[in-house]
Amino acid sequence: MTKIQVFDIEMIRKFYESYPSKVKETRNALKRPLTLSEKILYAHLSIGEPVEDYVRVKDYVNFSPDRVAMQDATAQMALLQLMNSGRTKVAVPSTVHCDHLIQAFKSAKEDLNTAEITNKEVYDFLSAVSDKFGIGFWKPGAGIIHQVVLENYAFPGGMMIGTDSHTPNAGGLGMVAIGVGGADAVDVMAGMPWELKMPKLIGVKLMGKLSGWTSPKDVILKLAGILTVKGGTNAIIEYFGEGTASLSATGKGTICNMGAEVGATTSIFPYDKKTSDYLKATGRAEIAELADRLADYLIPDAEVINEPNKYFDEVIEINLSTLEPYVNGPFTPDAAHPISEFARVVKEKGYPQAMEVGLIGSCTNSSYEDLSRAVSIVKDAQSKNIKVKSQFIINPGSEQVRYTAERDGILPAFEEAGATIMANACGPCIGQWKRELDDPERPNSIVTSFNRNFAKRNDGNPNTHAFVTSPEIVAALSIAGDLCFNPMTDTLLNENGEKVKLQEPQGYELPPKGYAMEDSGYLAPAEDSSQIVVKIAPDSQRLQELYPFPVWNGKDIVEQPLLIKVKGKCTTDHISMAGPWLRFRGHLDNISDNMLIGAVNAFNDKTNAVLDAETGEYIAVPKLARKFKAEGLGSVVIAEENYGEGSSREHAAMEPRFLNVKAILVKSFARIHETNLKKQGMLALTFINKEDYNKIREDDRVSIIGLTDFKPGKNLIAELSHKDGTKDSFEVAHTYNETQIEWFKAGSALNYMKGK
């Protein structure tokens, strides 16, 4: 099996040569034992960055990541920005993965053919820019970015950033992998230091060992219930304890992947034999041998393990031996329900009990182990004369997993049970699902092995109740067709009218015959790119050249109209929807027509209906923003807690900037989105007194005072001019440091970088 790890093996060797001395230097400077996260972070400090005890969740620190990964939806805007950076080659190994633009509809082959036709312009652009700048390119069908990274690029002790919020998946192999916006990726690809607020550390001690129906997914599903969707904000979740060694490498990846759902900066596991075995099984024996020699540097210090409360900001204990399967949802991934209580919750809440579709796959759960354990349940049901009652959809994680699972009879067994095998792509997980429903207005329930379940996330239907669980439980509930079925205790009636019980899942962490594939789908960049010309058609509806945002005018923001006061949850899906809008991810003007169309207006409880004070009519949010912009006005957005949670998509920051929104004032931000806003030259502010949110009226004009003396740690003043002539004013906070203030003044981080 041909591997592409040779593309950056020298970088990894060089890193491992210097890594032990950097860890020792850090331990001496800080005069204390180190967590694994600290070892890796300090080993990646930018040149010239002092080794000192940085204050967590306060100090901004510059890092030099080892590599960058981009998926095709976010890569478009990232590469459009890279083209404006003045670079001719990327400074670190980088890759593009075509996994987001393939819509799940009929089957893998048909859907992939359709995607290659409908997205040809975008794929050609991404391929050409990759060739031009020395970026590795993974073709459509090669697999989901995070599974491909785990199989080929992730390495213990490394540091990576990726333009997708589930980049932390690589933490399963002991890598600090962080989801970012495209502008951050451009900084790293351009050889600039990458800035991050030093995260706090949440230690999760795992004890015991999983058994029966419980899977690695249940660790993070339980943890989501403990931490909630913002409990991990500005934190690295570091797993430790004897329980970690019992989990497979891909299972650890699953847990790290879904850490994004609690807002964590990233998640990480220590190095162990399972990690080494996976590296060897995926053709990276040389990396495993290097890591084996440095094993003590790829785990936390012994003192940290023995007295975790002294070194972590928070410690949570989970006993794997007593952990039971979880089903989380609907509408939020932190609504955690042990399966023993789930049937009661379904009935009490009145959720639709019939389970209509079971979906296995996504970057979170599409490994060989996931598929082999799920199919064992399907085979057991067939042997007991039980048919699968729900629609059943499978998305393999990569061509390597798909080919191997096909060879080993796993996919044929799914198909024999009535499942449809979709392309090696994200598909329904990100709204790329052409679902045919008899009545879209009818409340319905689906169960997935995905990571997110916000309203409309999977199929665009607000009436779909999506629940997240393990592949094993998806399989069991798909067979039963009933949310209230508990495979641990309940029986099913087979075709003969007999009561039978499903056997516990059985599977393989690694394929017994080894991994195999014929074509990985990887294209190495051209060695000589001097003659490559990247062309964008002037009339293209998919791609559009980027132009620099205007610099700050040097004045306060004065009496700008309110665009929308958002009520309740407002994720990046609400700010910039995916699904059919993915086709415009490379065209800022076109995609700006989806800005905030999913956000709920606090004054009428409707979406995409905001007051045009001039006419008294309610119109679409982007339409009103464009009207203000045409009149030379800006506007202001007001929102509540954890604004911008979810995907890393920077379009949610670029669209307001493009439509001349001047400030976003909220109760709190999700980490990635706040950074994305800063990178695009936006003003991201928070209420000091959250009750001030209630003072904003529908026809207000908003001023932000104090920008002429904009300084780190110095509050600004928000002033509301009400239509009746009265005014309200109050202080608002920000987290801008000196460099980020320069981004604001320059109009964007990219403008600032080019200026330097």
Side-chain angles (χ1 to χ4, degrees), residues 65 108 143 216 241 272 301 325 337 339 406 431 463 528 544 567 615 684 708 724:
D272 58 27
D301 286 341
H337 313 290
I339 199 161
E406 177 78 28
N463 298 302
D528 179 8
Q544 181 186 48
K567 177 182 178 181
T615 64
T708 52
D724 62 8

Side-chain angles (χ1 to χ4, degrees), residues 12-24 43 294:
I12 295 171
R13 280 201 202 100
K14 187 176 179 182
F15 169 76
Y16 279 147
E17 285 172 7
S18 64
Y19 181 56
S21 61
K22 289 180 178 179
V23 172
K24 290 173 185 175
L294 302 176

Side-chain angles (χ1 to χ4, degrees), residues 53-245:
D53 205 351
Y54 292 102
V55 180
R56 297 173 188 172
V57 203
K58 180 182 177 184
D59 290 343
Y60 285 90
V61 186
N62 287 321
F63 295 98
S64 295
D66 299 307
R67 66 175 309 111
V68 173
M70 297 166 279
Q71 41 94 335
D72 51 354
T74 50
Q76 295 171 63
M77 199 57 71
L79 296 183
L80 284 164
Q81 293 175 86
L82 179 64
M83 290 167 64
N84 282 344
S85 70
R87 292 285 302 195
T88 57
K89 292 286 182 184
V90 290
V92 300
S94 304
T95 50
V96 168
H97 304 257
C98 296
D99 62 356
H100 272 54
L101 299 178
I102 303 167
Q103 187 180 55
F105 180 37
K106 293 182 178 179
S107 67
K109 185 176 181 180
E110 289 179 275
D111 294 346
L112 188 57
N113 287 341
T114 300
E116 288 173 339
I117 295 168
T118 58
N119 301 316
K120 185 178 187 304
E121 180 184 11
V122 172
Y123 293 149
D124 287 349
F125 167 76
L126 294 175
S127 179
V129 179
S130 295
D131 259 354
K132 184 75 175 174
F133 287 87
I135 298 169
F137 182 75
W138 290 81
K139 297 185 292 185
I144 304 172
I145 176 173
H146 310 304
Q147 181 67 26
V148 173
V149 166
L150 198 73
E151 293 173 359
N152 298 280
Y153 297 117
F155 67 95
M159 186 179 195
M160 177 181 81
I161 63 169
T163 61
D164 189 280
S165 55
H166 294 101
T167 299
N169 191 83
L173 287 188
M175 192 175 205
V176 167
I178 301 174
V180 299
D184 279 10
V186 172
D187 282 354
V188 177
M189 289 189 290
M192 301 284 286
W194 175 64
E195 184 185 70
L196 177 73
K197 188 182 288 186
M198 183 61 82
K200 66 179 180 180
L201 300 176
I202 298 174
V204 178
K205 182 178 182 179
L206 300 183
M207 303 166 291
K209 189 175 182 180
L210 295 174
S211 63
W213 285 91
T214 310
S215 76
K217 181 69 164 276
D218 299 306
V219 175
I220 187 60
L221 293 175
K222 178 180 176 66
L223 190 62
I226 296 170
L227 288 175
T228 78
V229 290
K230 63 176 185 174
T233 303
N234 290 319
I236 291 180
I237 300 174
E238 182 173 321
Y239 294 86
F240 68 99
E242 74 277 7
T244 61

Side-chain angles (χ1 to χ4, degrees), residues 278-595:
Y278 184 76
L279 287 168
K280 292 170 184 173
T282 50
R284 291 172 287 173
E286 184 175 358
I287 296 173
E289 289 165 9
L290 291 169
D292 286 344
R293 293 177 207 151
L294 302 176
D296 288 345
Y297 296 93
L298 298 169
I299 60 175
D301 286 341
E303 297 91 333
V304 173
I305 297 172
N306 295 331
E307 296 183 274
N309 288 294
K310 289 177 69 173
Y311 304 101
F312 291 106
D313 299 285
E314 180 180 356
V315 176
I316 297 167
E317 294 186 352
I318 296 176
N319 190 333
L320 302 179
S321 299
T322 58
L323 183 66
E324 64 175 296
Y326 271 71
V327 184
N328 287 23
F331 308 132
T332 185
D334 59 355
H337 313 290
I339 199 161
S340 60
E341 299 176 13
F342 186 53
R344 174 184 57 79
V345 172
V346 169
K347 291 171 181 175
E348 285 181 359
K349 300 284 188 180
Y351 300 143
Q353 187 173 333
M355 208 285 262
E356 300 192 21
V357 191
L359 302 109
I360 292 176
S362 87
C363 59
T364 320
N365 279 111
S366 54
S367 67
Y368 186 89
E369 180 183 26
D370 291 327
L371 297 181
S372 67
R373 281 175 62 85
V375 84
S376 75
I377 302 164
V378 172
K379 287 180 177 179
D380 180 55
Q382 283 189 308
S383 72
K384 292 170 178 171
N385 206 14
I386 305 171
K387 292 184 178 179
V388 177
K389 294 189 172 55
S390 305
Q391 184 183 357
F392 207 13
I393 294 174
I394 313 292
N395 279 83
S398 68
E399 177 56 19
Q400 179 169 270
V401 167
R402 187 212 66 78
Y403 187 93
T404 307
E406 177 78 28
R407 178 202 68 187
D408 293 350
I410 292 174
L411 297 187
F414 275 126
E415 290 179 301
E416 190 178 334
T420 301
I421 311 300
M422 296 295 187
N424 312 323
C426 303
C429 183
I430 58 161
Q432 282 286 56
W433 181 19
K434 189 174 180 181
R435 185 182 179 196
E436 296 178 324
L437 265 173
D438 54 354
D439 178 9
E441 300 300 317
R442 175 176 58 79
N444 70 96
S445 292
I446 66 173
V447 179
T448 81
S449 72
F450 304 163
N451 41 50
R452 293 201 175 121
N453 56 355
F454 304 138
K456 300 192 281 188
R457 168 82 180 183
N458 303 127
D459 61 2
N461 187 347
N463 298 302
T464 295
H465 296 59
F467 298 88
V468 177
T469 188
S470 67
E472 295 90 332
I473 298 300
V474 172
L477 295 182
S478 298
I479 291 164
D482 183 355
L483 284 186
C484 293
F485 174 65
N486 180 352
M488 298 175 69
T489 58
D490 299 345
T491 58
L492 294 169
L493 280 178
N494 68 8
E495 296 294 299
N496 303 326
E498 301 163 333
K499 286 185 178 181
V500 294
K501 192 175 180 185
L502 296 176
Q503 283 187 353
E504 293 177 351
Q506 302 289 327
Y508 300 95
E509 293 182 8
L510 300 168
K513 300 177 187 175
Y515 287 106
M517 71 184 147
E518 290 181 342
D519 178 9
S520 69
Y522 175 73
L523 295 177
E527 290 187 18
D528 179 8
S529 62
S530 59
Q531 302 303 311
I532 296 173
V533 178
V534 180
K535 296 179 180 178
I536 298 175
D539 59 348
S540 171
Q541 294 301 300
R542 297 291 300 271
L543 298 163
Q544 181 186 48
E545 284 190 53
L546 282 181
Y547 297 96
F549 289 129
V551 301
W552 175 55
N553 64 6
K555 301 177 182 178
D556 288 336
I557 294 169
V558 179
E559 296 211 346
Q560 300 297 297
L562 176 72
L563 180 62
I564 184 173
K565 179 180 177 179
V566 180
K567 177 182 178 181
K569 186 185 283 284
C570 191
T571 71
T572 48
D573 282 322
H574 295 89
I575 305 167
S576 177
M577 288 184 177
W581 291 94
L582 282 172
R583 66 186 185 275
F584 296 133
R585 284 283 177 86
H587 198 296
L588 184 55
D589 195 352
N590 282 350
I591 201 168
S592 292
D593 281 333
N594 80 359
M595 185 188 75

